Amino acid sequence: MEINLMEKIVSLCKRRGFIFPSSQIYGGINGFWDFGPLGVLLKNNIKELWWREMVLKNDNIYGLDSTIIHNPKVWQASGHTTFFTDPLRECKKCHQRFRADKLTKTQCPECNGELTAVKQFNLMFATHVGPTQDSANSAYLRPETCQGIFINFRSVVDTFHPKMPFGIAQIGKGFRNEITTGNFIFRDREFEMMELEYFVRPGEDENEFENWKEKRLNWHLKLGIKKEKLRFCEHPKESLAHYSKRTVDIEYHYPFGWSELEGIANRTDFDLKNHAKHSKQNLFYKDDEGKEFYPFVIEPSVGVERLTLAILADAYYEDSQRICLRLKPILAPYKIAVFPLLANKPELKTKAREIYETLKKNFSVIWDDIGNIGKRYRRQDEIGTPWCVTYDFESIENNTVTVRDRDSMKQVRIEIGKLVDYFSKEIYE
Ligand code: ATP
């Protein structure tokens, strides 16, 4: 039944313009997805809410937008050229490749053929910078955004002189040449990450780690994700990434089971120390007493696509009458749909259009005058529009419109002049 839910979400996303397979006219490309007109609205809302929560709300957190390609020495210093690998086994018969740690049998799951021994496969996409293609010009597409933060640490400290603790946050593309992709947008080869590096005094790291765990879980709850679908999962010591002292995932119960939504890692002083060593630059933080030290780093890191999938799965609702995305209004691609009761009555259409134009100055709004009102409601329910405003014959008499609520399907009459206030309160409550 849950698998069925996944199919329904994929189909809704395609049918209504949320998410399309990338390069579809050429048969697609595995692990790449394009966000359509509605998908990009939803995704932008998610990113904006994260930015507001992490950067705008905090005096001590700074934003950054670094490049996707760094000097390749960055990835040597960070350990990625050696350690950013997944274990791989290949079928000797059909040559399909699998992530060894995800295999449940010792034979090929596709054709039962014999599998090779485990090899370590580096997940970074390599490319070349400039017109010659030799090893001296090779570079990588970043597999995580945080190295851009570490290599700008000195510049941010020197320009803003932040006091401990402080953070640097970034949203941007990441690329991983995953051995196997799948589960729709859950595991992609190109995706967006929202990452905070929070610099703290050594010794205060464990406390701060606990703070961020709670803060991040609460943020997901604030987005409207159901509490029972979220849980923490502690990484066992033996499976920690090479830089991590402790990692706790926030897992979501996706239609295919519990899986990582966000990772919170204690990266210690690993990255700053190694960049200082490899770059021979001073990356110490100097406090007011003149004491110099490498801060420890707490990193909450979440993928936009994984969060989008969790939000869609969580909001999906269906009964015999309709399909509905019960998105929090703040996340909905369109907050309001505006209709004239009848499309062929100019006295209704002109006025409805005026309301549409006014609301559009304040909110993301959609116009619809096709088909009957019931069909229009269904169409809006399916894309998660929280309210539908209809200008009808009574509107001509008393300057009110009906406002129909997506979840309760109840209708109330509201004065046209009060609509902006009404929706502002409802959306930003
Ligand atoms: P997994 O164990 O699922 O491969 P990971 O532990 O390698 O994930 P992190 O390195 O912790 O992932 O990445 C931080 C976040 O980035 C993840 O919590 C996830 O939201 C997102 N992310 C990582 N890899 C992918 C991917 N291939 N596609 C989409 N999102 C991803």
Side-chain angles (χ1 to χ4, degrees):
M1 185 202 160
E2 287 278 275
I3 300 293
N4 201 1
L5 171 62
M6 193 69 168
E7 280 166 14
K8 286 175 179 173
I9 292 168
V10 175
S11 151
L12 170 67
C13 283
K14 200 171 163 195
R15 189 171 71 243
R16 299 306 312 271
F18 280 89
I19 299 163
F20 308 123
S22 170
S23 318
Q24 205 179 358
I25 59 167
Y26 292 103
I29 171 166
N30 235 326
F32 297 85
W33 298 89
D34 293 336
F35 278 67
L38 293 191
V40 74
L41 290 173
L42 173 59
K43 200 184 196 200
N44 284 345
N45 290 341
I46 293 171
K47 290 194 282 183
E48 199 196 311
L49 287 170
W50 187 91
W51 194 257
R52 200 183 298 164
E53 176 76 14
M54 303 302 256
V55 183
L56 303 183
K57 261 175 65 177
N58 297 296
D59 293 342
N60 65 341
I61 298 185
Y62 302 84
L64 184 78
D65 186 16
S66 73
T67 56
I68 285 171
I69 293 178
H70 305 315
N71 185 312
K73 288 180 187 156
V74 168
W75 304 110
Q76 277 158 21
S78 68
H80 281 73
T81 42
T82 317
F83 297 115
F84 197 65
T85 56
D86 273 341
L88 174 143
R89 295 183 83 178
E90 186 173 331
C91 173
K92 291 182 179 169
K93 203 161 129 202
C94 72
H95 298 289
Q96 283 221 56
R97 295 175 150 204
F98 305 95
R99 234 176 99 167
D101 57 335
K102 304 271 178 200
L103 281 171
T104 48
K105 41 197 271 195
T106 48
Q107 305 293 111
C108 170
E110 294 299 323
C111 73
N112 255 342
E114 195 189 335
L115 295 170
T116 59
V118 175
K119 282 190 289 201
Q120 290 303 319
F121 175 75
N122 196 297
L123 299 184
M124 285 198 294
F125 278 102
T127 184
H128 292 93
V129 174
T132 41
Q133 299 218 335
D134 55 36
S135 57
N137 317 53
S138 66
Y140 301 99
L141 304 187
R142 66 180 178 199
E144 56 182 30
T145 65
C146 61
Q147 296 305 326
I149 294 179
F150 297 127
I151 58 178
N152 279 287
F153 174 79
R154 178 83 281 139
S155 306
V156 174
V157 168
D158 287 349
T159 41
F160 289 87
H161 309 289
K163 299 272 176 279
M164 279 282 144
F166 70 94
I168 306 178
Q170 166 154 242
I171 300 179
K173 290 270 187 180
F175 301 81
R176 295 185 187 180
N177 198 5
E178 299 279 0
I179 296 170
T180 44
T181 58
N183 286 327
F184 192 30
I185 53 170
F186 177 81
R187 189 176 298 287
D188 315 308
R189 294 193 166 114
E190 174 176 342
F191 52 98
E192 268 187 288
M193 304 177 88
M194 305 191 283
E195 296 195 296
L196 167 70
E197 305 309 307
Y198 199 68
F199 299 95
V200 306
R201 283 177 190 277
E204 287 172 10
D205 52 313
E206 290 178 13
N207 232 346
E208 288 289 359
F209 189 94
E210 290 301 328
N211 286 343
W212 279 107
K213 252 179 70 188
E214 294 310 317
K215 278 194 210 167
R216 296 306 304 148
L217 181 71
N218 287 336
W219 185 72
H220 292 290
L221 294 171
K222 235 167 59 187
L223 293 185
I225 298 182
K226 294 181 193 82
K227 200 170 178 184
E228 65 275 16
K229 296 255 177 174
L230 290 166
R231 71 176 189 194
F232 288 123
C233 174
E234 179 98 32
H235 279 225
K237 284 260 175 295
E238 59 278 11
S239 74
L240 287 175
H242 62 277
Y243 51 74
S244 177
K245 170 176 164 188
R246 184 181 176 202
T247 299
V248 171
D249 291 342
I250 297 177
E251 292 192 336
Y252 178 74
H253 194 263
Y254 288 95
F256 50 86
W258 288 102
S259 259
E260 174 176 345
L261 166 62
E262 169 155 358
I264 300 151
N266 182 342
R267 296 183 78 115
T268 68
D269 54 4
F270 177 90
D271 300 274
L272 286 180
K273 228 181 204 167
N274 277 297
H275 285 305
K277 189 169 138 206
H278 281 75
S279 67
K280 302 191 176 55
Q281 301 290 311
N282 174 5
L283 298 184
F284 279 132
Y285 176 86
K286 193 174 183 177
D287 70 11
D288 288 345
E289 280 81 53
K291 192 177 157 219
E292 288 187 324
F293 59 93
Y294 290 115
F296 268 40
V297 175
I298 308 301
E299 175 195 71
S301 167
V302 57
V304 181
E305 286 77 2
R306 276 196 196 178
L307 182 51
T308 304
L309 182 58
I311 286 169
L312 287 171
D314 219 68
Y316 190 93
Y317 166 84
E318 190 184 24
D319 61 25
S320 56
Q321 312 273 312
R322 61 181 187 146
I323 293 172
C324 182
L325 282 185
R326 290 183 158 166
L327 295 168
K328 265 218 144 177
I330 196 111
L331 285 169
Y334 295 115
K335 314 301 179 209
I336 309 153
V338 180
F339 321 141
L341 180 65
L342 300 169
N344 58 359
K345 298 274 179 220
E347 66 274 32
L348 299 183
K349 200 165 172 174
T350 314
K351 283 286 179 188
R353 199 78 205 168
E354 275 172 26
I355 295 170
Y356 169 70
E357 295 297 341
T358 307
L359 292 176
K360 232 172 132 64
K361 289 184 192 135
N362 296 276
F363 313 104
S364 168
V365 188
I366 183 170
W367 169 264
D368 192 1
D369 59 4
I370 299 165
N372 66 39
I373 205 96
K375 286 211 178 104
R376 294 183 210 160
Y377 284 157
R378 298 292 166 269
R379 272 203 294 275
Q380 295 307 320
D381 288 346
E382 212 185 29
I383 60 170
T385 310
W387 299 284
C388 294
V389 167
T390 306
Y391 190 90
D392 54 18
F393 293 105
E394 197 183 326
S395 310
I396 304 173
E397 307 295 316
N398 63 10
N399 251 344
T400 64
V401 284
T402 65
V403 175
R404 183 259 193 189
D405 181 271
R406 177 194 68 202
D407 299 340
S408 68
M409 300 201 285
K410 293 218 169 78
Q411 297 182 17
V412 287
R413 289 206 80 89
I414 295 189
E415 261 178 61
I416 293 168
K418 292 189 175 155
L419 285 174
V420 172
D421 270 2
Y422 176 82
F423 290 126
S424 298
K425 281 201 196 94
E426 292 284 334
I427 297 166
Y428 306 111
E429 95 276 37

